[in-house]
Amino acid sequence: MTTDLPLSGVRVLELGNYIAAPTAGRLLADFGAEVIKVERPRTGDEVRNWRLYAGDTSMLYRTLNRNKSSVVLDLRTDAGRDAVLALVAQSDVVLENFRPGTLEKWGLGPDALEAANRDVVLVRVSAFGQTGPLAHRPGFAAVAEAMGGLRELVGEPDRPPSRTGVSIGDSIAGLYAAFGAMMGLFQRETRRGTDRPVHRRMDVALNEAVLSMMESLIPDHLAYGVERQRVGGRMEGIAPSNAYVCADGGSVVIAGNGDSIYGRFMEVIGRPELGTEPDLASNAGRWARRDELDAAIEAWTRSLPRADVLARLEEAGVPAGPIYAAPDIVADEQFRARDMIQYFDVDTGGDAPERVGFPGVVPVLDGTSVPVRSVGPDLGANTSEVLTGLLGYTDEQVAAAAGTETS
């Protein structure tokens, strides 16, 4: 199956850690790219210890670094840097997400990488980009989400801004980084032998990646003086669309805001008069009376168990769905039908490996998720294999590059 995937034959060298660049590497690996992840000696990527409940490698690391090889190299040494450049010479893409200037300090900046391989595509992810007054400032996704405008819109209006429960800024940047890698590869192939320019250096900033997802936040402000506010589970200017509690304590999200849907929705909840009022015919009018509409809807949802609420809405063609926690996702028939939870025997810190489910691959090809080949590897699991197989290193050279040689 691997040889038939869209990116089979592409080799990616991942120098990044944490979440953003590894997300890009994961996406490329999912579709067949050979991704060699370089980690520092002894500790490796810090994510190995994030949300670590037992054992020595977190499920977060196993998820973000699936389908990759782990190679330990000590970039503080000449031997480690030489190994990186030798791997660059045989790679199509380099991913990195160090603070700007770090690769250059190690002698592994863009010029050095391109000297090793003039065709390599370099994708750089950082907090604020490689240029500008904040370029060298450190920053994680939490800061990027705040400065990109997202944090101000998350949460209830009478409370301080909140955040989503995942590192969404990193993940968005990872998506852009993977897209940048594909653009570079596409240009490299389609413009080969022409005098058209090829962009081989892709610069992804976390704060800009978040900003790009903020829809019309900026033009609405500049055109109309609008400053968007937090509205909790709603979406500003769109109604009715919110989360509602049911009689059995379960919750649902209902999006009854389409003009043609709204009337049917009001029929379902037993309030047909709200569906025919002229000033509720458009989203603008419904938004002005959103509190009244939400109260009417929740009075109905609280009178029925969640399954009945969803069944009646489905019958009427009103978009709705349950609010899932992890156990619900694992049990869901739709996710199962498309192989979106895939199981592996994994070391969880106990006496024997346990069967653990991991998210499947998106987008789906030919009806079901692409099979995940392996979960994130143990630290340095592939060091010898990669360095001897690709570079022809001896055991002594492997030890020197990995920083494991003994005196």
Side-chain angles (χ1 to χ4, degrees), residues 114 118-123 188 198-202:
E114 290 173 8
R118 64 182 299 273
D119 288 330
V120 76
V121 176
L122 173 61
V123 182
R188 191 183 73 179
V198 176
H199 302 93
R200 293 194 181 90
R201 300 182 185 183
M202 307 295 170

Side-chain angles (χ1 to χ4, degrees), residues 10-176:
V10 173
R11 181 174 291 134
V12 178
L13 188 65
E14 181 187 300
L15 303 179
N17 52 11
Y18 299 119
I19 295 177
T23 294
R26 188 205 78 191
L27 293 168
L28 299 173
D30 281 347
F31 291 99
E34 176 191 358
V35 178
I36 300 171
K37 180 179 180 67
V38 174
E39 300 187 66
R40 57 177 171 263
R42 291 171 290 281
T43 57
D45 188 331
E46 287 186 33
V47 171
R48 288 183 177 274
N49 294 306
W50 287 13
R51 298 186 206 132
L52 180 61
Y53 302 108
D56 57 11
T57 301
S58 69
M59 295 301 115
L60 178 59
Y61 178 92
R62 301 285 192 198
T63 302
L64 291 172
N65 295 286
R66 66 190 185 195
N67 297 328
K68 302 178 187 178
S69 301
S70 171
V71 170
V72 168
L73 293 176
D74 191 346
L75 302 188
R76 299 169 301 176
T77 67
D78 290 339
R81 290 189 290 270
D82 288 345
V84 166
L85 292 173
L87 289 170
V88 169
Q90 299 192 46
S91 298
D92 299 288
V93 176
V94 173
L95 299 173
E96 70 97 0
N97 64 343
F98 296 107
R99 193 191 305 188
T102 301
L103 282 188
E104 288 83 351
K105 180 180 66 177
W106 290 337
L108 296 172
D111 293 340
L113 300 182
E114 290 173 8
N117 181 352
R118 64 182 299 273
D119 288 330
V120 76
V121 176
L122 173 61
V123 182
R124 314 191 75 176
V125 184
S126 59
F128 303 105
Q130 302 295 317
T131 60
L134 300 184
H136 292 278
R137 180 184 293 184
F140 280 161
V143 176
E145 291 162 21
M147 296 181 69
L150 178 62
R151 187 70 70 91
E152 178 63 19
L153 298 185
V154 179
E156 299 295 333
D158 59 345
R159 302 176 191 174
S162 186
R163 74 173 298 182
T164 59
V166 294
S167 298
I168 192 68
D170 278 319
S171 298
I172 294 169
L175 287 165
Y176 277 119

Side-chain angles (χ1 to χ4, degrees), residues 263-402:
R264 300 197 304 273
F265 186 18
M266 294 301 101
E267 290 281 352
V268 172
I269 71 169
R271 298 294 302 273
E273 76 282 3
L274 293 176
T276 57
E277 288 192 32
D279 65 338
L280 294 176
S282 69
N283 258 303
R286 295 193 294 270
W287 179 251
R289 294 173 62 180
R290 58 192 179 275
D291 290 337
E292 175 188 355
L293 292 176
D294 276 348
I297 294 164
E298 187 148 56
W300 175 72
T301 62
R302 285 186 178 275
S303 71
L304 296 168
R306 184 166 75 175
D308 288 354
V309 167
L310 292 172
R312 296 186 188 192
L313 293 171
E314 181 179 3
E315 183 179 0
V318 177
I323 294 179
Y324 274 174
D328 305 305
I329 295 172
V330 171
D332 184 80
E333 293 181 0
Q334 179 67 21
F335 285 127
R336 187 182 303 121
R338 288 164 64 87
D339 208 17
M340 275 296 156
I341 306 294
Q342 301 184 25
Y343 287 83
F344 293 84
D345 292 328
V346 179
D347 178 9
T348 59
D351 295 333
E354 294 188 27
R355 200 72 172 158
V356 178
F358 291 82
V361 175
V362 178
V364 160
L365 303 183
D366 302 320
T368 60
S369 177
V370 171
V372 174
R373 301 184 298 282
S374 62
V375 297
D378 293 338
L379 178 61
N382 311 100
T383 303
S384 180
E385 170 193 352
V386 169
L387 297 187
T388 58
L390 281 183
L391 307 183
Y393 272 26
T394 65
D395 291 343
E396 290 76 14
Q397 288 174 305
V398 171

